[in-house]
Amino acid sequence: MGRRDCRRNILLGEKRGLCVGKTKCGKGTKTMVLTDGRGLPLAAEIASASPHEQALIEPLLEQRLLPKKPRRLLYDLAADNDELRTRLARRRIELVCPHRKNRKKPSTQDGRKLRRYRRRWKIERSISWLQNFRRIVTRYEYHANLFHGFVQLACLMVVMRRF
């Protein structure tokens, strides 16, 4: 059984809507946002809260609006995975994230590349811009495609406010 897209796959009898997964605090939906260097959203994707974020990075890259692919991808410690690095390197995308402290294999980045990680505050700022919309913070919609539409509308409003 392959991966399923929770927005387009409708299962009867599933409670509390689609794209809702278990977390430590209950149930929830992840919102992944791809931004440019200034923090403007380029793509937004929603998924169940159950899968790990590493599995959601590549589908998010496919949802981008611009045909030009990013050269670098800044991410937090959750993306420290050699398999993900090699898959992104095949696409000619450099993954910039710090290594975990309990890493067994030798490090693949030096300190010069991690200087770019200091700019991650711009990404966190764009996520906080999206958190200004009450409908994004608390999911009121049962249908996942409606919630995804509201997330994209919030991204559009953020972009329009910046210009």
Side-chain angles (χ1 to χ4, degrees):
M1 184 172 177
R3 257 187 68 211
R4 70 178 180 152
D5 186 6
C6 60
R7 282 186 290 127
R8 292 174 187 92
N9 190 5
I10 298 173
L11 295 175
L12 297 174
E14 190 170 328
K15 292 187 177 182
R16 300 191 187 208
L18 302 172
C19 287
V20 176
K22 289 187 177 184
T23 62
K24 291 180 182 177
C25 301
K27 293 187 177 186
T29 304
K30 282 186 186 176
T31 304
M32 302 282 290
V33 180
L34 177 70
T35 64
D36 65 353
R38 293 175 287 171
L40 296 177
L42 298 176
E45 187 66 31
I46 65 167
S48 172
S50 301
H52 198 272
E53 293 177 9
Q54 292 175 5
L56 304 174
I57 291 175
E58 291 175 300
L60 177 66
L61 290 172
E62 297 299 323
Q63 296 293 324
R64 70 184 185 275
L65 296 174
L66 301 176
K68 185 178 176 183
K69 63 183 172 187
R71 289 183 292 170
R72 290 178 201 90
L73 181 68
L74 296 178
Y75 213 82
D76 56 2
L77 286 172
D80 185 26
N81 185 352
D82 289 331
E83 294 174 12
L84 179 65
R85 286 182 195 275
T86 56
R87 287 194 311 255
L88 290 175
R90 274 188 248 138
R91 294 181 173 203
R92 295 192 178 115
I93 299 173
E94 177 187 2
L95 180 64
V96 179
C97 71
H99 291 300
R100 293 182 179 152
K101 296 205 186 266
N102 61 354
R103 183 178 171 90
K104 304 286 187 222
K105 296 180 182 178
S107 63
T108 59
Q109 298 183 126
D110 56 356
R112 291 176 288 164
K113 291 182 181 178
L114 285 177
R115 288 183 197 152
R116 291 187 174 95
Y117 189 73
R118 286 187 258 167
R119 297 188 192 114
R120 194 171 183 286
W121 66 270
K122 296 178 183 180
I123 299 162
E124 297 294 337
R125 179 186 63 184
S126 64
I127 292 171
S128 69
W129 286 339
L130 290 177
Q131 297 297 318
N132 287 332
F133 299 96
R134 192 176 91 185
R135 262 202 130 98
I136 306 301
V137 176
T138 304
R139 181 179 167 178
Y140 296 108
E141 290 77 24
Y142 176 82
H143 298 288
N145 55 359
L146 290 175
F147 181 67
H148 187 252
F150 280 118
V151 170
Q152 288 182 334
L153 183 63
C155 290
L156 178 66
M157 291 178 73
V158 165
V159 170
M160 295 300 286
R161 286 181 185 169
R162 299 298 295 165
F163 290 108

